[in-house]
Amino acid sequence: MTPIRRKDRRSPILLAMVLALAVAGTAGATLRPSEVAVLANSSFAGSVELAKYYCSVRGVPQSHIITVAMPDGERIARSLYEKSIAVQFREKLRQIPQSEKIRCVLTVRGVPLRIGSAQPSEAVRLMLSKLDKDRKQAGDELEGLLERAKQVAGLREPLPVGPENESLESRLKRLHKLAPEEMERARQKVEALPESLYKRTAEEKLNKVVGAMFGLAGEIERLKRQEKSNGNGTGTKRLAELEKELGETNKKIAGLMVRRVTQDELEKAGELVRQVRGVWGLIQHLGATRIRLRYPYEKSSSSFDSELSMVLAGAYPSRGPIANLLNLDYRARKRLRILMVSRIDGESDRVARGLIDMAVRTENRGLGGRAYIDAGWERAKKKGYQGTEESLLATAKLLKRHSGMAVSLDTKTEVFAPGSCPQAGLYCGWYSLKKYVDAFEWVEGAVGYHIASFEME
């Protein structure tokens, strides 16, 4: 499961309400120590001790510590998580008295950060293998057709070749781009021939190559060119018939590919594509199908904590992103048990313990510093994030009204400049993607929330 897609982009305002109330000291929906479980890695030095320390400081019962032996590393295989770690976690969680009341799980230093991609089933692996064979065969066929077109047109220059040890992917891209260019050269060479039996024979042979290379779509383009040249409308009816056939066949192809495809459906779709788009279109279709089959698995790596939040929710798809059913579909709350998951981590045990102590000190004395809100993304409306932009403005108002903190609201298109935000206690805003700007001097206990969803994986 990759990061959950947000259906509702108003999360910053919800964050601000929580922060504002927390800073103002207003009681909210308090998370009780008895509702927290802590997951530690029994194979990682210091992980269990850190869990015990957290529980002692926060009043969480020591019996709420769940230990599971996990590899020492940031990433683990999905099969290990699903078949071992998640199973052990569920079993040990149920052993906690009144475990049904556990709402939050804290993972501590030593627990892996990421879960690897799901692996394709045997059926999918066979389809991918067959696709690669078909793609190579289609590439060979396309190259042969190009050679045939050059012979018909009397073009003597050899086809451009790729580098030595060229990959299949590179070769197919090269041939796919080359085909229309080379066919246009051949067509122009044949058209330039003087009227004769030789020219008519060459045109017939070239039309056969066009049919094999571009299918029905190629024939339609040829008729359009012919109609434009003649201007007598003799081929209009035939053109309309072919375009109708093309549209109907494209619908059949889409119908075959809209579901979870089988090998039989792949072959039927390939035959239809060859009819209407020829081997040139078949190469494109096979490549797109390969991406479609591989994509859910390539994009199925995920955050360990994200998966853990769903550990009690029952079966759910592990390939690709899923919708957040708790965001707008409130009825889903009754159907699914999804845990809140947080983490205490750091480069050392000392740093991780320091985070616990820092949070306690901040709670006891109150959060200081300024609040910085960075609104003003000029593309928010075009990208569909106007609601988020508006919520940032509302966040600033809420903080001014309830937090007692000084609030700096920036509505310029640029993000906060380096060194421009001293004594930052709270921050929320648009951010520069994959490029950190060292704008903040953070006070102890500060909270930062930036909107850069592509960095959440």
Side-chain angles (χ1 to χ4, degrees), residues 209-249:
V209 175
V210 169
M213 189 176 294
F214 300 113
L216 186 58
E219 177 64 10
I220 288 173
E221 286 302 312
R222 188 186 70 80
L223 285 177
K224 285 182 177 179
R225 190 182 296 112
Q226 183 177 301
E227 279 298 296
K228 184 177 180 180
S229 176
N230 296 338
N232 54 17
T234 56
T236 303
K237 183 178 179 180
R238 177 59 178 160
L239 188 58
E241 291 173 349
L242 293 180
E243 288 182 331
K244 180 180 179 182
E245 183 181 347
L246 176 63
E248 291 174 349
T249 307

Side-chain angles (χ1 to χ4, degrees), residues 368-427:
R370 299 179 61 92
Y372 293 91
I373 308 299
D374 193 356
W377 187 32
E378 59 182 347
R379 299 173 63 191
K381 188 173 183 179
K382 293 181 181 179
K383 292 287 186 178
Y385 285 88
Q386 184 60 31
T388 304
E389 174 71 15
E390 293 171 356
S391 76
L392 287 170
L393 301 176
T395 295
K397 291 181 180 180
L398 278 169
L399 289 171
K400 288 178 180 178
R401 187 179 305 154
H402 296 288
S403 71
M405 303 176 77
V407 179
S408 295
L409 172 64
D410 183 3
T411 57
K412 299 189 296 294
T413 57
E414 298 81 10
V415 297
F416 285 119
S420 64
C421 301
Q423 294 296 296
L426 293 175
Y427 158 72

